[in-house]
Amino acid sequence: MNSVLISGVGIAGPTLAYWLKAAGFQPTLVERASTLRSGGYVIDFWGLGYTIAERMGLIPAINRDGYHAQEFRIADEAGHRLAGFGIDVFAELTNGKYVTLQRSDLSRMLFERISGCVEAIFGDEIILVEEKPDGVEVQLKHGGRRRFDLLIGADGLHSAVRKLAFGPPTQFERHLGYIVAAFEAPGYRPRDEDVYLIYGQPGRMVGRFTLRDDRTLFLLIFAEHHSVLPETPASQKALLREIYGGDGWECDQMLAELERTGELYFDTVSQIRMPNWSRGRIALIGDAAFCVSLLAGQGTALAMISAYVLAGELAMAGGRYSEAFATYEARLKSYIGRKQRGAERFAGALAPRTRWGMLFRNVVVRSFSIPGVARLAIGRDIADELELPDYLAPGAMK
């Protein structure tokens, strides 16, 4: 077992390629987009994902390009502070291994660690998968047929590999009742440096976070009431105008910026629940296998953890993929299950559906400023109760 095709050049894919290459495999990456994606949303990065990034030598770049937020703040219609707490509580709970950064920046850093030593095919996608006794044959939309020993789907919530090899999305996707949108705006005012600032009405919220280069990121979360989601940017913007128009605070100003943006992230808040993450010579990692939902805050770290463990198990098993896949699932299944259950509880916390729910959320947020309360309330969800094997020496690829 030597050649491995990995679908997806986001977070999980490049991480898996790095560790497979370090273990002597020959990974190839294929990505539907023509280039690495930019923009998008910011992530809070901590725990075991941070540990894996350390082993890959990425922490200096992460600290350089990341953000060290100081406060989470809820505003009222006039922009006055309703509730909030210092973000240093998260640094305390993670022993200082906590940083905020754009997901696209982390993806770029990961790809740079393998660029030049791993084949990467951009602007193409897998449209057919055929498993053979001695390998997996794939049909690429533009690149013809190719054969590999193994195929790994690292292509996210709407994984093409999962659909082709395991079945339609309806079997595995579980909607949590919310939709999320994100976009950037240049030159927006006001700016609140190093503050997560949110405002909401029952069933919807909008947040903003100040980025470098005079950019502002907007994150919108709202309860799903439409049976058919809009698919085009124009119809998505129209739905956002319908939901947030006249909501007070800075919503009208934010919607004006939305009209000018050319890049809008828009998707359901969903989880992926699968009985198995592998079948024959094909396996899934990250969101493709077990998306915990964007609102959980740990999808990126979990993607890196699953990539690291799968690469390590393949190395330990000497390429005996059935053994490696089984151990990979056994090592992570219960851990991921706990994270998914925690994410379900958290799904409505940012955008409660009732005014009573909003009042309760604000009381909880205020309580986090009391020493020890945050540790009691969220310490278990923040903690990573999993021991990562040291499969390969840290910094194996220089």
Side-chain angles (χ1 to χ4, degrees):
M1 293 297 103
N2 190 262
S3 62
V4 184
L5 177 62
I6 305 166
S7 176
V9 185
I11 301 297
T15 304
L16 179 62
Y18 174 94
W19 291 107
L20 285 177
K21 184 70 175 179
F25 290 82
Q26 293 181 350
T28 296
L29 288 159
V30 61
E31 167 59 48
R32 183 174 61 179
S34 58
T35 61
L36 288 175
R37 289 179 170 86
S38 59
Y41 49 89
V42 295
I43 57 172
D44 295 323
F45 189 57
W46 77 86
L48 292 179
Y50 193 104
T51 299
I52 293 169
E54 281 184 314
R55 296 182 184 184
M56 297 175 71
L58 291 174
I59 297 305
I62 286 173
N63 283 330
R64 180 195 67 221
D65 293 349
Y67 299 86
H68 297 278
Q70 301 299 308
E71 183 187 4
F72 175 85
R73 184 190 306 164
I74 301 173
D76 65 12
E77 291 192 11
H80 300 140
R81 188 180 189 274
L82 274 177
F85 61 89
I87 298 296
D88 56 349
V89 66
F90 292 110
E92 176 190 336
L93 289 170
T94 58
N95 296 316
K97 295 184 176 184
Y98 180 90
V99 66
T100 298
L101 73 161
Q102 285 199 280
R103 185 182 185 278
S104 56
D105 283 345
L106 180 58
S107 176
R108 171 184 50 79
M109 295 174 199
L110 290 165
F111 186 76
E112 287 173 351
R113 294 295 280 125
I114 56 172
S115 181
C117 60
V118 168
E119 180 186 8
I121 305 165
F122 285 89
D124 212 339
E125 59 185 304
I126 301 168
I127 58 174
L128 181 67
V129 174
E130 290 186 56
E131 188 172 354
K132 307 286 187 178
D134 61 345
V136 180
E137 286 191 6
V138 301
Q139 176 74 44
L140 298 177
K141 188 173 184 178
H142 305 295
R145 293 183 75 89
R146 294 189 60 175
R147 181 204 165 279
F148 298 86
D149 292 318
L150 301 173
L151 170 62
I152 309 298
D155 44 351
L157 172 64
H158 305 294
S159 169
V161 172
R162 187 183 64 237
K163 181 178 179 180
L164 290 167
F166 294 83
T170 51
Q171 291 186 43
F172 312 114
E173 187 172 352
R174 180 176 181 178
H175 293 262
L176 298 186
Y178 286 87
I179 297 171
V180 63
F183 70 96
E184 290 182 17
Y188 185 87
R189 295 295 182 273
R191 286 172 67 84
D192 294 87
E193 303 288 345
D194 298 323
V195 175
Y196 293 108
L197 184 61
I198 75 168
Y199 164 80
Q201 293 288 343
R204 57 194 183 274
M205 66 133 291
V206 56
R208 64 170 166 84
F209 185 75
T210 297
L211 304 175
R212 295 187 183 88
D213 303 321
D214 201 21
R215 296 172 296 138
T216 296
L217 173 70
F218 290 95
L219 179 70
L220 302 92
I221 301 166
F222 56 96
E224 186 175 358
H225 297 298
H226 299 72
S227 57
V228 179
L229 287 182
E231 295 184 357
T232 66
S235 59
Q236 291 165 356
K237 289 179 180 181
L239 178 59
L240 294 173
R241 287 196 303 271
E242 173 190 330
I243 291 171
Y244 289 94
D247 249 3
W249 188 58
E250 300 171 11
C251 287
D252 287 344
Q253 185 180 348
M254 177 269 297
L255 289 171
E257 296 293 342
L258 173 67
E259 291 304 305
R260 290 188 278 271
T261 189
E263 293 188 17
L264 173 65
Y265 175 89
F266 191 98
D267 208 345
T268 59
V269 177
S270 301
Q271 290 187 342
I272 297 296
R273 299 288 187 97
M274 301 185 71
N276 299 101
W277 302 337
S278 62
R279 175 177 294 172
R281 293 172 176 266
I282 304 167
L284 304 172
I285 59 174
D287 282 354
F290 52 73
C291 180
V292 294
S293 91
L294 182 144
L295 300 186
Q298 277 191 283
T300 297
L302 296 177
M304 294 181 69
I305 292 166
S306 65
Y308 174 81
V309 171
L310 179 58
E313 293 301 335
L314 282 167
M316 292 288 286
R320 295 186 298 276
Y321 62 91
S322 295
E323 177 184 328
F325 289 169
T327 309
Y328 154 67
E329 292 194 35
R331 193 178 289 279
L332 292 182
K333 263 296 177 70
S334 61
Y335 169 73
I336 294 296
R338 291 194 298 272
K339 296 295 183 181
Q340 287 186 317
R341 291 189 293 274
E344 277 190 290
R345 296 192 299 270
F346 187 69
L350 287 177
R353 294 173 183 264
T354 65
R355 293 207 175 273
W356 166 249
M358 293 177 65
L359 289 170
F360 179 74
R361 178 204 60 190
N362 293 349
V363 169
V364 171
V365 167
R366 290 189 191 100
S367 73
F368 279 16
S369 61
I370 302 172
V373 170
R375 181 176 293 277
L376 288 172
I378 61 173
R380 188 176 66 175
D381 290 331
I382 294 293
D384 275 326
E385 297 173 357
L386 178 74
E387 189 171 336
L388 279 181
D390 193 5
Y391 297 109
L392 296 164
M397 283 181 62
K398 299 293 186 182

